[in-house]
């Protein structure tokens, strides 16, 4: 739904617990391979009139150097 250098807002079919660790794999058109980003759920809320959830994910560097590659995309 929304991305930034330090996190993302995702729409999922299920809620995640606040603080739950996640790994998000991003495939970018025109770029070989993928970025494997790690983070934690910071908030979760149901979507009105829908059976899905919006989640705030804060990215961190526990996944390795790929976070820096992600952040450079926003420069």
């Amino acid at each position: 739904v929304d991305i930034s250098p330090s996190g993302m807002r995702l729409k999922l079919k299920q809620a995640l617990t606040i603080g739950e660790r996640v790994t998000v794999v991003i495939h970018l058109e025109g770029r070989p391979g993928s970025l494997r980003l790690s983070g934690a759920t910071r908030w979760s809320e149901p979507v009105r009139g829908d059976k899905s959830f919006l989640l705030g994910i804060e990215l961190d560097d526990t996944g390795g150097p790929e976070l820096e590659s992600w952040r450079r995309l926003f420069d």
Side-chain angles (χ1 to χ4, degrees):
V1 175
D2 189 24
I3 60 172
S4 76
S6 61
M8 55 189 64
R9 181 172 40 164
L10 304 176
K11 185 175 181 182
L12 302 177
K13 293 182 181 180
Q14 66 184 31
L16 297 179
T17 305
I18 305 302
E20 186 169 345
R21 301 290 308 160
V22 297
T23 300
V24 179
V25 179
I26 307 287
H27 302 275
L28 300 170
E29 188 174 328
R31 180 187 170 114
S34 59
L35 292 173
R36 201 170 171 82
L37 305 171
S38 296
T41 305
R42 293 297 171 220
W43 56 268
S44 176
E45 61 185 42
V47 176
R48 287 186 183 198
D50 196 340
K51 292 183 179 180
S52 62
F53 296 85
L54 288 175
L55 298 118
I57 306 296
E58 181 180 21
L59 299 173
D60 58 43
D61 60 2
T62 59
E66 294 181 54
L67 180 59
E68 277 308 310
S69 297
W70 170 256
R71 288 181 172 158
R72 279 195 298 273
L73 295 172
F74 294 88
D75 290 339

